[in-house]
Structures are given as structure tokens and as C-alpha cells.
Amino acid sequence: MAIASTDRLFNPYRDHDPAVEAAGAPEIRRCNLRVYLEAMPKGAPLWLGEAMARRGARRTGIPFCGEEALHRLGLPLIQPTRHALPDGPTACAIWAAVSDPPPLFWNAVMQHPHHADGRTRPPAVAEIAANMPALHALIAWKRPPRILCIGRVAERAAQGLGVSATYEDTVTTSTPKRIAVTGAAGQICYALLFRIAKGDVYGPDQPVILQLLDLPQAQDAVRGVVMELADCAFPLLVETMVTDDPATAFRDADAAFFVGSRPRGKGMERRDLLSANAEIFRAQGRALNETAKRDAKVVVVGNPANTNAMILAANAPDFPNENVTSMIRLDHNRALTQLATKAGVAVAEIDRLAVWGNHSPTMFADWTEATAQGGKLPDMIGDDAWYRDTLIPNVARRGTAIIEARGASSAASAANAAIDHMHGWIHGTGGKWMSMGVHSNGEYGIPEGLMFGVPVICANGTYERVEGLTFTDFQREMMARTIAELEEEREAVSALL
Ligand SMILES: NC(=O)c1ccc[n+]([C@@H]2O[C@H](COP(=O)([O-])OP(=O)(O)OC[C@H]3O[C@@H](n4cnc5c(N)ncnc54)[C@H](O)[C@@H]3O)[C@@H](O)[C@H]2O)c1
Ligand SMILES: O=C(O)C[C@H](O)C(=O)O
């Protein structure tokens, strides 16, 4: 507890923060901690965090307790600050997960490590080492039967304590999420990276680390993008790493966007890119297999996205198939806007839209089940000819129309769709359908192993395919076309699977 504060480390038991509290605050926090530790029984399990957070222990002196949670301990504890603030995300997540009686809380670093602007940073090795004697003393005193390590830093600190320790990261948001992105110098990434760094994927409280991959000849261009990211001073962007080595880019990734690959030009179909791009996904699948977290969420954007994703998954045999997906969300968004315009409803009012199959001209934008304002969208629009002859081909050909108009393929809208895809998967879709390319398990007669656009509902960090739909002859015919194309693509790359 005697560790001195620096301009990057705050010791709340020694120092106070004049902006929010009086000079007696450190004494109050010491007293709070003493009351807390004396009240906690021996033999309670220990929940070990990484370090103090800005709106948690830094203010109250009790690990994982901001001013709101302080009262939940039922002890005579005093709020040292003048005004209570809402608890930080970690304290909220922890208290949502705590059952009665609560465990013993402690942090590997009992100070607040922060950047110059006050944002929490991961603790340094020397800071963890300096706090080890206090952790040893706590173990000797309270004799916890087991330790729940919240975050990898806590897991490392718990090694060698002689107590059974398990790792958990779902309850903490203070550990930055590692997001690998390939094709970082390209035009999609020029939109995508800035939105990830702003918090559009993991949310406004979750720090992120960008792990950027591009070819050796593109490294200078990536460094330029990194300079611009730095110049945005994004509060959530903890670190940006650049590499031309896929295994390095995917190491410990929580999420990965596979964008890097050649785009098509005028007069080409996406499948014409197979020979140019398929090999990329074989090599990157092997690297993903080697170094990414097993629960990392992967979306393939690079075209032909479905088949590239299939190659990626096939070359990552130890990585769960379910976590490799391909992007068809751009087509879903395109259909949403066209339907909303035709029906005169807001985009957000539409649900139960599906885009099936390949991200190619055979994709099937299917309005059969779509609803808005409590009614069926096909009934509201009442124009089946428009659906078949305008909506479906317009959605399927939109990428080509953009290439013809812009001279380059869609970029900002593709980045936006990739964000929507990942955000929906991570945070849930609130019961609504979204379209996602997923590994087929044979449902609806879709051959097993194809990467196929289907409607899903996301919740709790996972997706569930929408089941139980019955098809009309028209739907079956549309499905058969896109299945046939994907089977041809699979055949063409069979050597890579
Ligand atoms: N699924 C979709 O809805 C959708 C939408 C738009 C674009 N796309 C596809 O996304 C891909 C990227 O488009 P873009 O406009 O950003 O292209 P771009 O040419 O601007 O950028 C591609 C980047 O990928 C890099 N790259 C190439 N090979 C690589 C490798 N092996 N490893 C890492 N990086 C590599 C290139 O150096 C370049 O920086 C294209 O295949 C395009 O067709 C898909
Ligand atoms: O059409 C393309 O080649 C790019 C992209 O897949 C799109 O749909 O805009």
C-alpha cells in the first residue's frame, strides 16, 4: 500500500484527487479496506482482478466496488468522494455476476494504472511484481480455496500461489479486446478501422487493440493510416500494431475482420477473384488456427466472401467452424433500404428479412416473412412483380452498379456492414433477424459445409439460425440457384479444402 503515485499510476490509499474529494480521502479508503477485509470470512473464494479502475476501487478503496456497489456490501463503509458517479463497466458486470455470499475481491495491482489523459491502461509487469507481497499476505490470511482470475493479467499473477485458479474474461471490460484486421491499407479499412477504434463494434466502454495485417509492400501505407488513427485521439484505442505476418496479426485476437484480398473491377464477377484470393485464405486459416483465441469471432469480407470463409475454416481445423462467418449483411442492408423506401416505413421498423446464399448475383433477398408496423411487408407493398423483377435483382447487382458509378467497389457501406455484422453478433440483435453467412449443417437442404447466407438471431454473443421456415416453389427455386453456384465454387477450390 506504500507504492508511490506517478503520472501514470494512482495510489488511492496514499493520494487524493482534489477534483472529486477532500484531502482525507486516502485515510477513508484505508479504513474502508480494513473494515472490508476484517468482515470477510476466511475460506471465501477469491475473485482476482487486474488493477483498479477509474470509477471503481480508485474511488472507494474496495476492489470492484464503485460508489454504487459500496452499499451492497452491507458494511459501515464511507464514500470518500464528494459526489457519487455511476459505477464503471467492470464493477457493474462483476456485481451482476455475484451471488450471495459475495466472494473476496482483490486486484493484482491495488493502484490505478492510467494514461496521461486518465484512461485506464493495462498494468505493467513491474507494477504486478510490486503488488505480489500484498497478494501473498492476503492468501496466507484468508486462505481462499480457489481463485477466479478475471483477465489474463490476474491469471498470471495467480500462478505459483498454490491455490487452484481458473480464468474468466466475460465479466470484465477493462481488458482491451484485440481486433485483427487484414487488408489494412485498403479502401474498406480506411472506413472500418476508424469506426472500430471509435467503439462501434465492442461499445463505448470497451478499450480495443488493433492488430493490422497487410502485405510487405503495403506497410508504408498502413503506417500512414496508423498515424491518422493516432491523430484522432480515440479514447478507446489502447494500441495499434502493424505486421505482415498473419500469425502475429491473429495472436490472441478476440475478433478478426478478413478484408485483405483483391477487389473486382468493371466487367468481372466476384467469383473471378477465386484464383487470385483463395490462396490467401488457406495461408491465413493456418495462421488463425495457430494463434487466435478459440472463441474469436471471425467475419470474411474479401470476395468471394462465402467460399473464402469456407477455405479459411477448412484450414483452421482446431478453430470452431461456428465462429467463422462470411458477410452478407451489406446485401441485407441494401434490401432493407429498398424495402423501406417502397413501403414508406423506417428501416428500423423492418424485421424478418432474409438474404440467402452466396454474396453474388445468385443471392436471394427474401421478403416472404418480412414485417413492419405489425403487418406483413409483402401485403403492405402488394407488388409481387416489383419484388421479383426489381428488388431481388437490384440487391444482387448493387455491387456492380457501385463499381460502374464509382470506378471502385463499395467501401464505406461495406465497412458499415462489417461493423453491423460483428456488433449484432457480440451485442445481440434484440430478437430481430439479420443475415449472416454461416457454416451449413444441412438445414433447409443446404449442403453441409457450404458457407451460406441465412437469417439468424443473435443473443449472448452467439447466433442461432432461424429454424422452422417452410418454402414456396419460388423460394426453393431461388435457393437451388445459389446452392448450385456455391457448390461449383467449392469444386473449383477443392484442392485448398
Ligand atoms: N462481402 C462484401 O459485401 C464486400 C463488400 C465490398 C468489398 N468486398 C471485398 O473486400 C475486399 C477488399 O476490398 P477493398 O476495396 O478494401 O480493396 P483494396 O484493394 O482497396 O484493399 C485490399 C487490401 O488488401 C491487401 N491485401 C492483399 N492481399 C493480402 C494478404 N494476403 N494479406 C493481407 N492483406 C492483403 C492489399 O494490399 C490492400 O491493401 C475485396 O475482395 C472486395 O471485393 C466485399
Ligand atoms: O461488388 C463487389 O465486387 C464489391 C462488393 O462485394 C459489393 O457487393 O459491393
Side-chain angles (χ1 to χ4, degrees):
M1 298 305 162
I3 291 168
S5 296
T6 66
D7 59 356
R8 285 166 44 84
L9 190 76
F10 181 78
N11 182 346
Y13 304 111
R14 268 178 74 122
D15 298 301
H16 78 289
D17 188 347
V20 294
E21 58 203 14
E27 172 61 31
I28 297 175
R29 282 188 280 260
R30 287 200 298 274
C31 182
N32 277 351
L33 187 61
R34 200 174 310 118
V35 169
Y36 171 69
L37 287 177
E38 279 169 3
M40 285 305 294
K42 288 187 183 170
L46 171 64
W47 285 22
L48 184 65
E50 302 194 335
M52 287 185 169
R54 188 154 50 155
R55 284 186 279 144
R58 172 178 171 138
R59 291 173 70 98
T60 64
I62 314 283
F64 293 122
C65 291
E67 285 109 328
E68 286 177 342
L70 200 60
H71 309 290
R72 298 183 57 174
L73 288 166
L75 296 169
L77 304 170
I78 301 171
Q79 177 187 311
T81 50
R82 281 191 283 271
H83 302 290
L85 279 179
D87 288 357
T90 307
C92 290
I94 290 287
W95 278 95
V98 157
S99 54
D100 217 31
L104 173 64
F105 294 132
W106 196 253
N107 277 317
V109 172
M110 289 290 283
Q111 299 85 37
H112 176 222
H114 60 85
H115 295 283
D117 62 3
R119 277 181 302 123
T120 304
R121 62 172 173 82
V125 173
E127 290 160 350
I128 299 163
N131 278 273
M132 282 309 285
L135 180 55
H136 278 282
L138 182 83
I139 301 286
W141 178 19
K142 295 295 183 185
R143 306 223 162 271
R146 59 187 179 279
I147 305 178
L148 184 71
C149 304
I150 298 160
R152 293 288 180 205
V153 168
E155 187 187 35
R156 279 193 291 276
Q159 276 166 15
L161 290 173
V163 182
S164 135
T166 49
Y167 168 74
E168 169 71 65
D169 84 341
T170 50
V171 289
T172 178
T173 54
S174 67
T175 308
K177 296 289 184 193
R178 294 181 173 275
I179 306 181
V181 188
T182 76
Q187 51 153 3
I188 293 178
C189 285
Y190 197 61
L192 178 65
L193 299 178
F194 295 82
R195 295 207 32 205
I196 297 174
K198 180 96 179 114
D200 286 357
V201 171
Y202 274 102
D205 292 315
Q206 176 58 62
V208 293
I209 295 174
L210 285 174
Q211 305 190 159
L212 306 182
L213 178 74
D214 210 306
L215 297 170
Q217 59 271 31
Q219 294 292 298
D220 280 346
V222 183
R223 272 191 284 277
V225 176
V226 172
M227 284 185 226
E228 286 203 68
L229 281 164
D231 294 349
C232 294
F234 287 120
L236 294 173
L237 184 59
V238 176
E239 189 186 327
T240 308
M241 180 261 270
V242 180
T243 179
D244 60 10
D245 171 37
T248 304
F250 306 146
R251 191 168 306 283
D252 294 331
D254 296 286
F257 292 81
F258 284 78
V259 182
S261 49
R262 248 186 74 189
R264 63 179 169 144
K266 285 187 188 178
M268 292 171 80
E269 282 304 341
R270 296 182 190 94
R271 57 187 298 171
D272 299 336
L273 295 169
L274 256 188
S275 55
N277 290 338
E279 184 57 49
I280 295 175
F281 290 84
R282 169 154 72 169
Q284 292 185 357
R286 289 173 178 165
L288 183 78
N289 199 46
E290 213 182 295
T291 60
K293 280 188 182 166
R294 296 304 87 167
D295 58 356
K297 293 181 163 53
V298 168
V299 60
V300 174
V301 175
N303 277 321
N306 299 55
T307 297
N308 287 341
M310 186 175 62
I311 297 169
L312 189 82
N315 286 281
D318 305 324
F319 190 83
N321 265 338
E322 289 288 299
N323 281 10
V324 178
T325 64
S326 71
M327 189 167 95
I328 198 149
R329 180 64 200 248
L330 179 55
D331 313 295
H332 185 104
N333 286 350
R334 287 168 172 166
L336 275 181
T337 300
Q338 295 188 34
L339 285 167
T341 309
K342 180 80 176 167
V345 300
V347 162
E349 291 179 297
I350 298 179
D351 189 13
R352 300 172 66 87
L353 169 70
V355 184
W356 299 93
N358 202 3
H359 173 64
S360 79
T362 66
M363 77 179 78
F364 171 33
D366 181 3
W367 78 352
T368 316
E369 299 289 329
T371 57
Q373 299 180 345
K376 295 276 259 180
L377 207 56
D379 297 339
M380 284 172 81
I381 293 177
D383 188 348
D384 206 50
W386 173 83
Y387 164 59
R388 291 181 188 216
D389 303 336
T390 303
L391 177 82
I392 294 173
N394 272 3
V395 171
R397 287 277 165 205
R398 184 72 164 184
T400 306
I402 289 171
I403 291 172
E404 276 162 11
R406 229 171 75 84
S409 68
S410 64
S413 57
N416 177 68
I419 300 258
D420 284 350
H421 176 115
M422 205 57 104
H423 185 278
W425 191 357
I426 293 167
H427 299 281
T429 53
K432 287 181 86 169
W433 292 17
M434 82 167 184
S435 305
M436 231 168 142
V438 302
H439 178 91
S440 168
N441 293 326
E443 50 279 311
Y444 297 125
I446 303 161
E448 200 173 336
L450 290 185
M451 193 64 62
F452 204 86
V454 297
V456 299
I457 295 175
C458 302
N460 305 319
T462 59
Y463 60 82
E464 295 285 341
R465 298 161 179 84
V466 173
E467 288 175 353
L469 300 172
T470 50
F471 292 153
T472 61
D473 287 347
F474 176 70
Q475 285 174 298
R476 269 194 289 276
E477 200 184 298
M478 295 300 289
M479 292 283 276
R481 274 181 58 203
T482 196
I483 287 173
E485 186 185 38
L486 277 169
E487 286 198 298
E488 273 172 37
E489 288 185 20
R490 173 155 70 179
E491 183 54 36
V493 299
S494 57
L496 303 181
L497 298 175

